[in-house]
Amino acid sequence: MVDIQKKFKALSMKNSLDVFLMIYAGCRIEYYVGFNDIIEKLGIKYNSLRRITNALVRSGLIASRKKPYALDNRQ
């Protein structure tokens, strides 16, 4: 029950559904959407996008991949 609540809470955040659908659509065609790609395409501020992606990862809706040569290790 708690897991479902985490998912609904993560998806209820402003712009989180747009971010989730963009990542999901990108993965369907075997293209991994990067953090900077989301910022450019959706126009969300960096800190807001971090909160959204952190909530989506904690709820298990998306997976985070480490990018060793990125400044903040996000992809």
Side-chain angles (χ1 to χ4, degrees):
M1 186 67 161
V2 175
D3 190 41
I4 293 172
Q5 289 175 340
K6 282 184 180 181
K7 290 179 182 178
F8 279 119
K9 185 176 180 180
L11 289 174
S12 68
M13 296 173 69
K14 183 179 178 182
N15 296 324
S16 67
L17 191 57
D18 294 333
V19 171
F20 176 71
L21 292 175
M22 183 178 176
I23 293 170
Y24 183 76
C27 291
R28 297 281 293 166
I29 58 172
E30 296 183 13
Y31 168 72
Y32 294 103
V33 180
F35 198 76
N36 292 329
D37 297 333
I38 298 170
I39 290 174
E40 289 175 14
K41 290 183 182 177
L42 296 180
I44 300 172
K45 293 182 181 179
Y46 179 83
N47 290 333
S48 298
L49 186 57
R50 275 191 74 143
R51 283 192 292 274
I52 292 169
T53 55
N54 285 344
L56 291 172
V57 168
R58 281 193 303 267
S59 67
L61 291 170
I62 64 171
S64 180
R65 296 186 52 190
K66 298 265 181 186
K67 193 172 190 179
Y69 51 88
L71 295 175
D72 61 353
N73 295 330
R74 291 180 164 263
Q75 181 174 2

